[in-house]
């Protein structure tokens, strides 16, 4: 455990530098917020309720979801790169579990990103865009738990795509595909409750809405407090299921590495 | 063919302050260090000459060549290549020149060498018959045939350099600049490349300017040497007088089995040699082969010391430059 | 004369690129397909929202689609033909490869652009055209040869504006070594252009019309066709904006080039 904590901390430091990319991403995020803000204001020009949500609720949902949506990707890219370059062979000889290491690195960079990137944007959201506070204190706390689960689910899914690099040459195409699927089904763009019924049914049996929609719906109160226990359970089941799946694919992949020598 | 008069180039290097505050300060107020890479260099080169342009690391060789190519604008002075000022009429100058920069490629990274050459044909508007003929002659000397199907990124250094050389001569240039064309190559590829350059010069009167740190390159290719040191012209003349002065110089490096107690030279050697100790177990002995022979030096040393190992070398370009710099060429 | 020569030369570059594409067929299809998926996601977004509303600030679904289609097509022109501008900093200047372009007897900007033709843009072009056709047949516009050729002209202008803005910011690489973050940040401004400019506040509208004219890459062209009475003038201005942007960007490029040749890298 100690080992992984160190990895986690070093990643925190790595990300601490403010460079050109930090500012570029900040500008892009602010632009994204402004577009969403203007778009939804225009949508509500002639209506007060959409799928039981009024404008302030929708804005809160969209802004929080946009921020949370930045965390559904992660180290999968790094894994597939090290597989492609063959570096993974060296990594495997080191005295730690590579998957756990990657997960801790992922958490480290996400913690630093949340302070560095998301916090300022959240402040902008509260101050200028009319984002509401969570429905209640308990709601806020449960949101934090649920968001954590959602991020971890995202990490596992990302790792699955990463491990597939052992089989496919072009992981990059898969990654774009993943991005497309997530932007539809995770709820990062739009609450899944706005979907037409058939699409909503599809979404409900997939793990993706657990990443963003579920936590943000807890935040806005769309999922009432008494139902939160159940949704957290569903998230936990998905997390465990995906983690087991990653492990499974990973061990099959390792057997392949041992047999073919990379 | 090439006229260089009082050529100088100063680089401005921005002094960067660290941290976010520093970055903000740099935005508004920058301070520069100037670094004179080439200072007041003049020479002229006739058509068909093969000139070695040599100097230590950082002497200003690449900087000069870049100015001759038109890639860099001089701070002061004037350059004319075939009547054209390169940095003023870069594209016209480009028609007359070919270049190889040993550290990086001139070819297209992703596409097979054959297609690379083909694109160059269109870029330089080389007539088809010249193109075909050139490619045929070049592949004879450089053995390009097996490389045609492969993109540059899949080639070894030596294979890449053979293609680079072909690309530099493909459009029948008047002048070719070769900046360290043999860096990192093995003996047989070096030999092939030297042969190719000599043949090009003999058959086509191509003017060649070559920078290198390999004395062998100079000996086999060039008839004239231009030496610079810290950006200043040090020597410009034929290779022969340099060779007369240094051609007989040898250095023998001795490794001793036990540390020497006395670092004096054996009496019979003392008048003829110059010894340089490195600690007490290593000594470099320099001498002129006309005054004493390697066998005498070795015999005398074996008598006085417990020698474990020894090597004999010719003088390096760096040591020649240093010598001329310190003592002149008289 | 020179134009003719460059056109022929460009064709030679294209031939090479096509050969590479054919060699990596699978990559090509995956690349094109994945961009289609991404585009599809944002289209789905608009569609879902319009399940719940009739119009957005007075614009109907198909009118929004027309804006979207013009933006996607214009952007794809930029992506396919001018994508290499993005790589100026880290692939050419930082590595010193830019010198290679300078010792060739052709225009270095042409050389840079011709060096790569991007396959991903093809997917974007495909989806852009499909959206355009769907929108054009449903948005109530009466199509005549005149406004159809106007549409083509406007889309070309859109592509040119995208490219000119990127050229301008890519040129900064001559001083900053790598201006990629700056290009990325300004390019994200173009996301504004996917929706009618009328939904934004005044500051943003001014910015996108007069400073970084992404408004002319989709909204003004679409509006001039949908509401010629109100926005017709903008249709006339669009090609002019494209020309002005290109000239400015090219002049700036030349300044950058001069800076490069006097400082080295
Ligand atoms: N772009 C640059 N900016 C600042 N200084 C530079 C730049 N390029 C070269 N210099 C400096 O100018 C001097 C001459 O460099 P140059 O590359 O011409 O040397 P060289 O003779 O080719 O050396 P080498 O044998 O190592 O290739 C060096 O001191 C170098 O540090
Ligand atoms: Mg050099």
């Amino acid at each position: 455990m100690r080992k992984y904590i160190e990895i986690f901390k070093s990643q925190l430091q790595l990300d601490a530098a403010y460079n050109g990319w930090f500012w570029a991403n900040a500008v892009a995020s602010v632009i994204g917020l402004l577009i969403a803000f203007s778009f939804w204001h225009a949508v509500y020009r002639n209506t007060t309720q959409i799928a039981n949500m009024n404008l302030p609720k929708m804005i809160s949902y969209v802004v929080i979801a946009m921020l949370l949506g930045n965390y559904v990707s992660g180290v999968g890219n790094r894994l597939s790169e090290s597989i492609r370059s063959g570096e993974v062979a060296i990594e495997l000889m080191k005295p730690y579990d590579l998957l756990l290491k990657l997960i801790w690195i992922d958490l480290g960079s996400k913690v630093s990103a949340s302070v560095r990137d998301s916090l300022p944007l959240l402040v902008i959201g509260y101050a200028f865009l009319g984002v509401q506070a969570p429905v209640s204190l308990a709601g806020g706390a449960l949101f934090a738990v649920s968001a954590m689960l959602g991020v971890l689910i995202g990490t596992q899914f990302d790792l699955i795509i990463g491990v597939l690099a052992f089989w496919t040459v072009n992981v990059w195409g898969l990654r774009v595909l993943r991005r497309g699927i997530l932007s539809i089904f995770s709820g990062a763009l739009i609450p899944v409750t706005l979907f037409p019924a058939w699409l909503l049914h599809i979404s409900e049996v997939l793990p993706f809405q657990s990443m963003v929609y579920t936590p943000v719906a807890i935040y806005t109160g769309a999922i009432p407090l008494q139902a939160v226990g159940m949704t957290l359970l569903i998230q936990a089941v998905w997390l465990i299921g995906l983690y087991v799946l990653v492990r499974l694919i990973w061990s099959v992949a390792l057997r392949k590495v041992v047999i073919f020598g990379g | 063919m090439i006229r260089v008069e009082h050529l100088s180039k100063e680089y401005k290097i921005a002094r960067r302050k660290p941290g976010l505050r520093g970055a903000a300060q740099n935005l508004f107020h920058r301070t520069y260090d100037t670094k004179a890479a080439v200072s007041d260099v003049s020479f002229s080169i006739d058509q068909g000459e093969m000139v070695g342009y040599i100097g230590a690391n950082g002497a200003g060789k690449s900087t000069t060549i870049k100015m001759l190519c038109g890639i860099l604008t001089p701070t002061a002075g004037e350059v004319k290549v075939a009547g054209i000022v390169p940095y003023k009429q870069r594209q016209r100058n480009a028609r007359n020149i070919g270049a190889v920069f040993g550290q990086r490629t001139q070819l297209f990274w992703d596409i097979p060498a054959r297609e690379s050459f083909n694109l160059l044909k269109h870029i330089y508007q080389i007539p088809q018959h010249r193109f075909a003929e050139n490619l045929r002659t070049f592949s004879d000397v450089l053995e390009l045939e097996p490389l045609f199907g492969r993109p540059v990124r899949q080639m070894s250094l030596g294979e890449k350099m053979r293609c680079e050389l072909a690309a530099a001569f493909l459009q029948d240039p008047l002048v070719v600049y070769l900046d360290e064309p043999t860096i990192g190559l093995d003996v047989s590829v070096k030999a092939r490349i030297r042969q190719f350059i000599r043949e090009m010069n003999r058959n086509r009167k191509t003017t060649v300017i070559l920078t290198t740190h390999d004395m062998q390159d100079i000996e086999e290719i060039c008839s004239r040497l231009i030496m610079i040191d810290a950006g200043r012209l040090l020597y410009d003349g034929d290779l022969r007088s340099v060779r007369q002065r240094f051609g007989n110089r040898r250095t023998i490096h001795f490794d001793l089995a036990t540390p020497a107690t006395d670092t004096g030279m054996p009496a019979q050697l003392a008048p003829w040699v110059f010894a340089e100790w490195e600690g007490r177990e290593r000594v470099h002995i320099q001498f002129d082969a006309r005054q004493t022979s390697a066998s005498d030096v070795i015999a005398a040393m074996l008598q006085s010391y417990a020698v474990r190992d020894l090597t004999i070398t010719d003088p390096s370009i760096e040591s020649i430059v240093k010598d001329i710099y310190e003592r002149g060429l008289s | 004369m020179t134009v003719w020569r460059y056109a022929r030369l460009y064709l030679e570059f294209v031939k090479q690129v096509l050969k590479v594409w054919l060699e990596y067929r699978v990559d090509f299809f995956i690349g094109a397909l994945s961009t289609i998926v991404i585009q599809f996601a944002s289209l789905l977004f608009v569609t879902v929202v319009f399940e719940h509303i009739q119009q957005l600030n007075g614009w109907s679904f198909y009118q929004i689609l027309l804006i979207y289609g013009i933006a996607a097509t214009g952007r794809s022109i930029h992506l396919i033909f001018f994508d290499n501008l993005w790589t100026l900093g880290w692939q050419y200047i930082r590595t010193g490869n830019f010198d290679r372009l300078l010792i060739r007897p052709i225009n270095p900007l042409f050389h840079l652009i011709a060096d790569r033709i991007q396959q991903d843009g093809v997917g974007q072009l495909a989806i852009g055209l499909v959206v355009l056709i769907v929108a054009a047949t449903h948005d109530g516009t009466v199509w005549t040869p005149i406004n159809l050729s106007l549409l083509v002209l406007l889309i070309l202008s859109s592509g040119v504006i995208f490219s000119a803005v990127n050229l301008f910011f890519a040129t900064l690489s001559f001083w900053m070594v790598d201006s990629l973050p700056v290009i990325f940040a300004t390019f994200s401004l173009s996301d504004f252009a996917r929706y009618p400019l009328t939904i934004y506040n005044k500051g943003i509208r001014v910015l996108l019309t007069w400073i970084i004219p992404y408004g002319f890459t989709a909204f003004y062209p679409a509006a001039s066709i949908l509401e010629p009475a109100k926005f017709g003038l903008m249709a006339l201005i669009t090609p002019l904006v494209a020309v002005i942007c290109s000239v400015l960007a090219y002049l700036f490029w030349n300044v950058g080039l001069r800076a490069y040749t006097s400082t080295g890298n």
Side-chain angles (χ1 to χ4, degrees):
Chain A
M1 198 64 191
R2 190 76 227 145
K3 225 161 26 193
Y4 298 112
I5 302 277
E6 286 307 321
I7 292 170
F8 171 81
K9 278 206 308 218
S10 74
Q11 191 60 31
L12 273 182
Q13 279 154 10
L14 269 184
D15 291 338
Y18 286 81
N19 54 25
W21 278 111
F22 167 77
W23 296 108
N25 283 324
V27 169
S29 305
V30 170
I31 288 171
L33 286 181
L34 278 176
I35 293 175
F37 178 81
S38 311
F39 177 81
W40 286 106
H41 270 264
V43 166
Y44 278 87
R45 183 80 41 98
N46 296 317
T47 175
T48 52
Q49 292 277 328
I50 290 178
N52 288 328
M53 293 172 88
N54 58 15
L55 178 61
K57 242 194 189 128
M58 186 60 87
I59 294 284
S60 306
Y61 179 93
V62 170
V63 171
I64 304 283
M66 204 178 247
L67 296 184
L68 199 55
N70 288 332
Y71 297 95
V72 294
S73 63
V75 281
N77 200 16
R78 191 161 160 162
L79 178 60
S80 53
E81 275 310 310
S82 81
I83 291 172
R84 262 166 39 122
S85 67
E87 232 174 86
V88 72
I90 300 161
E91 288 273 1
L92 284 174
M93 287 189 296
K94 300 251 175 79
Y96 46 64
D97 180 277
L98 181 56
L99 281 185
L100 278 182
K101 177 195 158 184
L102 286 175
I103 291 175
W104 280 101
I105 284 183
D106 194 43
L107 284 178
S109 60
K110 279 172 182 171
V111 167
S112 62
S114 67
V115 176
R116 213 173 47 136
D117 307 341
S118 302
L119 204 61
L121 292 172
L122 199 61
V123 171
I124 292 178
Y126 284 126
F128 302 108
L129 306 181
V131 174
Q132 297 171 322
V135 275
S136 62
L137 205 61
L142 289 171
F143 160 74
V145 175
S146 175
M148 191 73 198
L149 287 171
V151 168
L152 280 171
I153 294 174
T155 306
Q156 309 311 315
F157 187 59
D158 205 42
L159 282 174
I160 292 180
I161 302 284
V163 182
L164 291 183
F166 276 116
W167 288 276
T168 64
V169 185
N170 192 327
V171 226
W172 168 80
L174 276 178
R175 295 193 60 76
V176 181
L177 200 65
R178 182 199 67 104
R179 196 150 64 92
I181 291 174
L182 285 190
S183 68
I184 297 172
F185 288 112
S186 73
L189 276 181
I190 193 173
V192 294
T193 43
L194 261 65
F195 285 174
W198 63 273
L199 200 59
L200 184 59
H201 290 316
I202 296 178
S203 173
E204 273 166 350
V205 295
L206 294 173
F208 308 116
Q209 66 175 34
S210 284
M211 297 177 189
V212 179
Y213 170 72
T214 304
V216 186
I218 293 175
Y219 181 98
T220 59
I223 297 177
L225 280 183
Q226 56 272 25
V228 168
M230 191 60 200
T231 52
L232 287 183
L233 192 67
I234 295 176
Q235 281 188 301
V237 169
W238 275 122
L239 176 57
I240 293 167
L242 284 176
Y243 182 72
V244 170
L245 189 60
V246 174
R247 281 281 163 200
L248 220 66
I249 302 180
W250 180 244
S251 63
V252 175
L254 286 193
R255 210 167 310 141
K256 183 172 148 18
V257 174
V258 174
I259 293 170
F260 297 106
Chain B
M1 179 60 50
I2 300 177
R3 258 197 24 241
V4 171
E5 277 167 17
H6 306 293
L7 185 67
S8 299
K9 179 73 202 175
E10 280 177 1
Y11 286 113
K12 265 190 183 175
I13 305 166
R15 216 182 290 163
R16 293 232 168 78
K17 295 187 189 118
L20 191 62
R21 256 243 324 274
Q25 283 174 356
N26 287 339
L27 215 53
F28 298 106
H29 180 76
R30 287 207 178 167
T31 45
Y32 291 98
D33 293 329
T34 55
K35 156 102 203 161
V38 173
S39 327
D40 197 22
V41 168
S42 306
F43 55 79
S44 84
I45 295 173
D46 290 333
Q47 175 162 19
E49 277 196 90
M50 298 225 268
V51 177
Y53 194 62
I54 64 176
N57 286 124
K61 304 183 294 292
S62 300
T63 305
T64 313
I65 295 218
K66 280 183 181 173
M67 288 190 282
L68 293 177
C69 288
I71 297 171
L72 267 183
T73 311
T75 317
E78 202 175 304
V79 180
K80 274 211 172 141
V81 178
I84 294 172
V85 180
Y87 46 89
K88 285 197 182 136
Q89 289 181 283
R90 209 184 42 244
Q91 288 177 39
R92 264 192 68 194
N93 180 57
R95 289 197 173 277
N96 299 333
I97 65 166
V100 171
F101 294 96
Q103 329 273 11
R104 49 181 83 121
T105 180
Q106 306 298 308
L107 294 161
F108 299 83
W109 195 245
D110 282 322
I111 59 181
R114 187 193 301 107
E115 311 292 353
S116 258
F117 291 137
N118 205 33
L119 264 182
L120 290 178
K121 176 182 98 178
H122 290 283
I123 289 176
Y124 286 99
Q125 295 175 300
I126 309 168
Q128 176 59 33
H129 70 277
R130 281 305 297 162
F131 176 72
E133 195 187 317
N134 278 350
L135 219 49
R136 206 169 38 243
T137 7
F138 296 176
S139 13
D140 285 347
V141 187
L142 294 170
E143 282 188 22
L144 298 176
E145 217 68 64
L147 305 177
F148 276 156
R150 267 193 279 154
V152 172
R153 86 184 126 80
Q154 291 174 6
M155 288 185 194
S156 77
L157 195 59
E159 292 167 340
K160 198 191 87 180
M161 195 48 76
R162 275 144 60 196
C163 289
E164 296 282 339
L165 231 46
F169 284 91
L170 199 58
Q171 12 106 20
D172 296 318
L174 297 170
V175 186
V176 170
Y177 306 106
L178 304 168
D179 194 355
E180 306 196 38
T182 56
I183 191 168
L185 303 183
D186 72 27
V187 182
S188 73
V189 178
K190 274 185 184 173
R192 196 175 291 282
I193 284 179
R194 289 171 191 147
Q195 183 200 345
F196 177 72
I197 298 169
R198 276 197 311 266
E199 276 184 25
M200 282 297 120
N201 172 263
R202 194 173 51 229
N203 300 337
R204 310 185 171 193
K205 291 274 160 291
T206 314
T207 311
V208 175
I209 296 186
L210 168 85
T211 80
T212 182
H213 293 281
D214 184 339
M215 199 57 205
Q216 203 69 28
D217 283 346
I218 303 280
E219 297 250 356
E220 290 189 22
I221 297 173
C222 304
S223 50
R224 174 175 164 197
L225 274 189
I226 297 179
M227 255 181 233
I228 57 167
D229 186 64
R232 299 196 167 275
L233 192 72
L234 196 61
Y235 173 78
D236 179 356
D238 57 3
L239 178 65
R240 213 169 333 123
S241 34
V242 175
R243 195 187 288 136
Q244 268 167 14
R245 168 79 192 274
F246 297 97
N248 294 304
R249 175 173 296 182
R250 303 278 183 279
T251 306
I252 308 185
H253 313 269
F254 290 94
D255 279 332
L256 306 185
T258 52
T261 44
D262 166 24
T263 56
M265 280 289 104
Q268 70 268 40
L269 287 184
W272 315 116
V273 305
F274 172 74
E276 199 180 343
W277 285 89
E278 199 181 307
R280 289 187 163 265
E281 294 180 28
R282 232 166 186 265
V283 59
H284 313 285
I285 296 181
Q286 239 181 55
F287 61 95
D288 189 319
R290 285 168 304 189
Q291 292 170 326
T292 179
S293 70
S295 60
D296 288 346
V297 173
I298 295 170
M301 285 296 287
L302 285 177
Q303 262 177 14
S304 313
Y305 296 102
V307 172
R308 190 167 57 82
D309 196 8
L310 64 87
T311 44
I312 308 181
T313 53
D314 288 337
S316 66
I317 286 185
E318 283 70 23
S319 72
I320 294 178
V321 171
K322 190 169 159 225
D323 220 86
I324 293 183
Y325 180 71
E326 281 165 4
R327 284 179 253 171
L329 193 78
S330 50
Chain C
M1 210 36 224
T2 7
V3 174
W4 185 231
R5 179 182 164 220
Y6 277 109
R8 290 235 313 261
L9 196 51
Y10 193 73
L11 221 62
E12 291 300 325
F13 276 91
V14 170
K15 268 196 225 158
Q16 300 309 330
V17 173
L18 286 181
K19 278 182 205 158
V20 176
W21 286 8
L22 286 178
E23 201 171 324
Y24 302 100
R25 267 179 304 260
V26 182
D27 279 22
F28 171 70
F29 282 116
I30 291 180
L33 211 72
S34 1
T35 35
I36 289 179
V37 170
I38 293 287
Q39 296 295 315
F40 180 75
S42 42
L43 277 175
L44 190 81
F45 168 72
V46 179
T47 315
V48 166
V49 172
F50 268 89
E51 292 268 304
H52 301 269
I53 57 175
Q54 308 310 314
Q55 43 155 289
L56 185 74
N57 211 359
W59 304 90
S60 75
F61 177 61
Y62 289 107
Q63 293 181 325
I64 299 280
L65 275 197
L66 188 71
I67 299 177
Y68 191 92
I70 294 176
T73 323
R75 205 192 270 222
S76 76
I77 292 176
H78 155 68
L79 272 185
I80 295 174
F81 299 105
F82 298 93
D83 191 64
N84 216 22
L85 292 175
W86 288 83
T87 67
L88 176 65
W90 51 283
Q91 298 260 294
Y92 288 84
I93 294 180
R94 180 173 295 170
T95 59
N97 266 331
F98 194 72
D99 292 354
R100 168 169 74 93
L101 309 192
L102 289 179
I103 55 168
R104 297 272 162 78
I106 55 175
N107 186 309
L109 178 59
F110 170 84
H111 200 321
L112 174 71
I113 290 166
D115 249 1
R116 193 169 77 149
I117 294 162
Q118 219 340 55
Q119 51 198 27
D120 301 5
V122 176
Q124 171 125 210
L125 178 65
I127 205 156
L129 288 177
V130 170
V131 171
L132 267 184
I133 291 169
V134 172
T137 48
H138 289 82
D139 66 2
T141 314
V142 182
W143 291 99
T144 61
I146 293 178
N147 63 5
L148 212 55
S149 38
L150 182 66
L151 180 68
V152 173
L153 176 69
L154 294 178
I155 288 176
L156 290 178
S157 306
S158 162
V160 170
I161 294 172
F162 270 117
S163 314
V165 172
N166 263 21
L167 172 59
F168 189 91
F169 289 99
T171 299
L172 290 176
S173 300
F174 286 122
W175 293 277
M176 320 170 45
V177 179
D178 200 348
S179 67
L180 199 57
V182 182
I183 306 179
F184 171 78
T186 37
F187 195 67
S188 61
L189 275 174
S190 72
D191 284 340
F192 277 121
R194 282 211 295 241
Y195 302 115
L197 282 195
T198 51
I199 70 170
Y200 303 115
N201 80 18
K202 188 118 183 290
I204 297 177
R205 287 206 308 269
V206 170
L207 173 74
L208 294 177
T209 307
W210 303 118
I211 299 175
I212 296 179
Y214 280 132
F216 291 94
T217 60
F219 173 66
Y220 289 128
S224 70
I225 285 170
L226 296 171
E227 291 194 20
K230 201 165 155 206
F231 291 100
L233 183 64
M234 286 304 189
L236 293 178
I237 295 185
T238 303
L240 192 69
V241 171
V243 171
I244 292 174
C245 285
S246 312
V247 170
L248 284 181
Y250 188 67
L251 289 178
F252 188 53
W253 160 269
N254 277 335
V255 174
L257 203 57
R258 216 160 321 131
Y260 179 85
T261 56
S262 73
T263 56
N265 71 303

